[in-house]
Amino acid sequence: MSETRTKGIVVGACMLAAGIAYFYVTTGLPRRGAIDAAFFPYALAILMIVLGLLQVMASWRRSPEPADAASQDEIAKATLAADSEDPDIPEGAKPDYLSVVVSLCLIAGFTALMRPLSFPVAAALYLFLQFSILSPAGKPVPHVLHAVLAVLIATFVFLLFRYGFGLMLPAGPLTPYLR
Amino acid sequence: MDLFLIGLSNVFAPHVFLLITLGVVVGIIFGAIPGLTAVMAIALCLPMTYGLGPAEGMALLVALFVGATSGGLISAILLKIPGTPSSIATTFDGGPMMEKGEGAKALGIGIVFSFIGTVLSIGALMFIAPSLARVALSFGPHEYFAIAIFSLTLIATLSTGSMVKGIFSGVVGFAVSTVGIAPVDATRRFTFDVVELNAGFSILTVLVGMFAIAEVIKVAEAGRAGHNMTVTAPVMKGIRGFGFSMKEFVGQLPNAFRSSFIGIGIGILPGIGAGTSNILAYIVARNRSKTPEQFGKGSIEGVVAPETANNAGIGGAMIPLLTLGIPGDAVTAILLGGLMIHGIQPGPMLFITQGPLVYTIFAALLVSAFLMLIIEFYGLRVFVKLLAIPRHILLPVILVLCAVGAFGLSNRVFDVWTVLGFGVVGYAFVKGGIPTAPFIIGFILGPMAETNFRRALQLSQGDFTGFMTNPISGAFLGLALLSIGWQIWSGVRSARASPRL
């Protein structure tokens, strides 16, 4: 129970922080009268701050999730219940945040290396590593299969978009060898 | 009628027909595989439309929409997992039918009534949209501002979860849309001297990040503990036609018409799409049924209602998109993005300046519905096999395709970084229980609301009363207030009724 209350307060604090940050950057906008380019950003920032405060207060008073559920009709409850079912996470298993962080780093690496290494090379590297990280536990990771799949998929996507749809994906060092 | 014939002739051009067929097939696959959505399918195929004309591009995108909305029934029945939120209620009776050995019958019913729902909604779209567009031609900035605010509040208050979080999500979306050159006086806002931010964020990068990348990160959260599903193919031996009798079909028609009406009505309203209409149609069907006790145990009515209603939402959702330029959900938001990529601004003028294109979209929807019926039924065995594709292979490939789509917008790696950034925001929203749909709608309707607000004030020399004295504007703003008031009152009533925790 205390966890949902804490989570609600943390979410509210984040909402509040976002509102304050947006208000702060809005103060840097030039003013040209009451209704100008800063009018809506100020209104939105104030609204975000108020909503953040409301969320914190509501969570402080009671656990937000059961209260929210109580205020919903049958349809909303069923929709929420179905939304919360994630077939990927087996019952009882905890979220693997390390995997999330590593995956985000891999995506960032792929994006950063797209130009210097070329799209197909960066994509093949990303795919190989990401396949291995998400590969089901309890079985040996088929590295060779993953490597072959990564190279084939990256090459196919590159050629399809470059020659099929005329999209000039970064070719990097491969440029001299391509038409 | 002439315009519709032009639309049909455009659609039956071999290359367009091929694109629609491809769109329906890919859409069904995305709808069928849990975790992949219509938004993802359309976002991934958007880069393919860069090199196509608007008619060909939109034909492909609406075919994906039709295929993905219906495809959800396959996993809903075979796995008891809704492929998309629009097939949640199909699991309630489709799953038990599968367990009773009537999987093929359930699939046949789902496919046929999905088709009926789609066709009825296209009829409604073709009937209502041109008339509404004629009315909307007289709308000025006051009306557009009020409609944008009404849509925003409706989306924020009716989306699943708490109202505070829903409104917050919409407000953040609106705030993100303020990055770039401001409307009316062209002041640069929140660009921090980054040249790429002058034009603000592209709708495509925001959508792909919030929906597709966030989904990939969610899968990564399961780490190596995630497991793949085992799929049992339905018994097809001895099955004739679609697996149900003519008597059963005729007996379900009132249910189908009622559910279509619900689907179309909810589809028109911004914010509550097929994810809600299928459950509402299911509840109404159960309440009106002569055998409500059979619901949840494998009732045909329980499959007909949600599958008709979710597909009926397609035509309904296209009405505000095409006539007012207001997307009701994430799918229509990305369709709006597809139109804008081709330099087309949806709204009432679309029916005058781009009549053939509008009717090509109508014709493409209709042809997609027929193709969906045929492909889904005859290709069922193939789709069943596709459900077994390992997700640890599929989702990284989707991420690479998302990067291609983002890069293709302006040949900039900056857009790929933006997609990643919004992916993290989308994931944070999911973890914080904040709905993402209001964010997207806020992002799209924000500039519309701001531009029209400032134009309206310029027209009325700074007089705010114009928003209330204008009848249409006043009515929509009143409805917006009512919707918020109603939600607050419902919340207070429920809090009083439930015991203090």
Side-chain angles (χ1 to χ4, degrees), chain A residues 1 7-8 11 14-16 18-19 22 25-26 29-30 32 35-41 43-45 47-49 51-52 54-55 61-68 70-72 74-76 78-80 82-83 85-91 93-97 99-100 103-104 107-112 114-115 119 123 126-127 130-142 146 149 153-154 157 160-161 165 167-170, chain B residues 34 44 47-51 80-82 85 88 92 145 149 160-165 167-168 171-172 174-176 178 182-183 185-190 192 213 215-229 275-277 279-280 283 286 391-397 399-401 403-405 407-409 411-413 416-417 420 424 427 430-434 449-450 453-454 457 464 487 490-491 494-495 498 500-501:
Chain A
M1 190 65 70
K7 187 184 167 188
V11 171
C14 291
M15 288 161 65
L16 189 59
Y22 188 63
V25 289
T26 301
L29 292 178
R32 295 187 183 115
I35 310 296
D36 59 1
F39 176 78
F40 268 91
L44 294 170
L47 202 50
M48 282 162 76
I49 291 168
L51 289 166
L54 280 175
Q55 173 67 22
R61 285 181 61 204
R62 66 172 77 88
S63 179
E65 277 68 15
D68 286 348
S71 69
Q72 288 151 12
E74 200 173 346
I75 299 165
T79 311
L80 265 187
D83 282 349
E85 279 176 21
D86 192 338
D88 281 312
I89 303 179
E91 267 181 57
K94 284 192 172 178
D96 182 355
Y97 290 116
S99 183
V100 171
S103 296
L104 284 174
I107 302 169
F110 163 51
T111 311
M114 205 187 276
R115 276 209 191 277
F119 175 85
Y126 164 73
L127 286 173
Q130 189 74 78
F131 289 161
S132 302
I133 284 168
L134 298 181
S135 184
K139 293 178 193 169
V141 181
H146 284 172
L149 273 178
I153 291 168
V157 170
L160 175 73
F161 280 92
F165 300 110
L167 182 59
M168 288 295 135
L169 289 167
Chain B
L44 290 182
M48 294 182 191
T49 71
Y50 296 161
K80 275 184 97 172
I81 298 169
I88 292 165
F92 301 163
F145 168 74
I149 294 298
T160 51
S162 86
M163 186 178 76
V164 169
K165 287 179 181 175
I167 296 175
F168 178 80
V171 170
V172 175
F174 195 155
V176 170
T178 59
D185 59 11
T187 304
R188 273 199 303 171
R189 295 186 298 198
F190 314 120
F192 308 105
I213 304 293
E215 192 62 43
V216 176
I217 301 173
K218 259 168 68 185
V219 170
E221 196 184 278
R224 299 192 61 194
H227 53 75
N228 291 307
M229 290 149 284
T276 302
S277 70
I279 298 167
L280 181 61
I283 291 167
R286 190 181 61 194
R391 296 243 240 145
H392 71 277
I393 300 290
L394 200 59
L395 284 153
V397 176
L399 190 132
V400 168
L401 291 172
V404 172
F407 180 84
L409 270 175
N411 282 350
R412 299 186 309 191
V413 177
V416 187
W417 284 113
L420 177 58
V424 174
Y427 177 67
V430 170
K431 296 307 287 180
I434 301 171
E450 185 178 6
F453 177 79
R454 294 187 66 185
L457 284 182
F464 285 89
Q487 284 297 315
S490 307
S494 301
S498 61
R500 185 73 189 260
L501 295 159

Side-chain angles (χ1 to χ4, degrees), chain B residues 91-161:
Chain B
T91 60
F92 301 163
D93 281 278
M97 281 184 82
M98 178 72 188
E99 284 162 7
K100 285 197 293 187
E102 293 181 334
K105 185 177 178 178
L107 286 165
I109 289 167
I111 292 166
V112 169
F113 284 94
S114 284
F115 167 76
I116 290 173
T118 311
V119 171
L120 287 174
S121 78
I122 297 166
L125 169 68
M126 290 170 64
F127 180 71
I128 297 170
S131 319
L132 188 59
R134 274 193 290 277
V135 175
L137 274 174
S138 62
F139 287 2
H142 289 91
E143 288 88 347
Y144 270 110
F145 168 74
I147 290 169
I149 294 298
F150 168 69
S151 305
L152 264 170
T153 48
L154 206 61
I155 288 156
T157 54
L158 294 184
S159 55
T160 51

Side-chain angles (χ1 to χ4, degrees), chain B residues 240-420:
Chain B
R240 281 181 158 196
F242 284 95
F244 55 88
S245 67
M246 183 54 86
K247 192 182 166 194
E248 283 173 316
F249 174 75
V250 173
Q252 290 305 316
L253 284 178
N255 181 10
F257 283 115
R258 189 176 53 233
S259 302
S260 293
F261 187 73
I262 292 169
I264 294 166
I266 287 189
I268 293 173
L269 287 176
I272 41 173
T276 302
S277 70
N278 77 100
I279 298 167
L280 181 61
Y282 181 87
I283 291 167
V284 172
R286 190 181 61 194
N287 292 343
R288 300 290 298 259
S289 173
K290 288 174 187 161
T291 54
E293 71 283 355
Q294 290 301 315
F295 276 70
K297 296 173 186 165
S299 162
I300 295 175
E301 290 171 273
V303 176
V304 170
E307 280 309 316
T308 316
N310 64 17
N311 276 67
I314 292 172
M318 296 292 284
I319 294 172
L321 174 73
L322 292 177
T323 56
L324 300 169
I326 291 179
D329 57 12
V331 182
T332 41
I334 207 155
L335 286 177
L336 175 79
L339 281 166
M340 287 160 81
I341 280 170
H342 292 286
I344 294 160
Q345 182 63 48
M349 286 303 288
L350 187 69
F351 285 75
I352 294 169
T353 58
Q354 301 278 353
L357 173 67
V358 172
Y359 282 86
T360 302
I361 294 172
F362 292 167
L365 280 166
L366 204 57
V367 171
S368 302
F370 278 96
L371 283 171
M372 177 262 289
L373 180 74
I374 298 162
I375 294 170
E376 211 159 45
F377 188 72
Y378 289 103
L380 201 58
R381 285 182 181 83
V382 180
F383 296 125
V384 167
K385 283 198 172 68
L386 287 170
L387 287 182
I389 293 180
R391 296 243 240 145
H392 71 277
I393 300 290
L394 200 59
L395 284 153
V397 176
I398 285 172
L399 190 132
V400 168
L401 291 172
C402 289
V404 172
F407 180 84
L409 270 175
S410 318
N411 282 350
R412 299 186 309 191
V413 177
F414 172 81
D415 291 318
V416 187
W417 284 113
T418 313
V419 163
L420 177 58

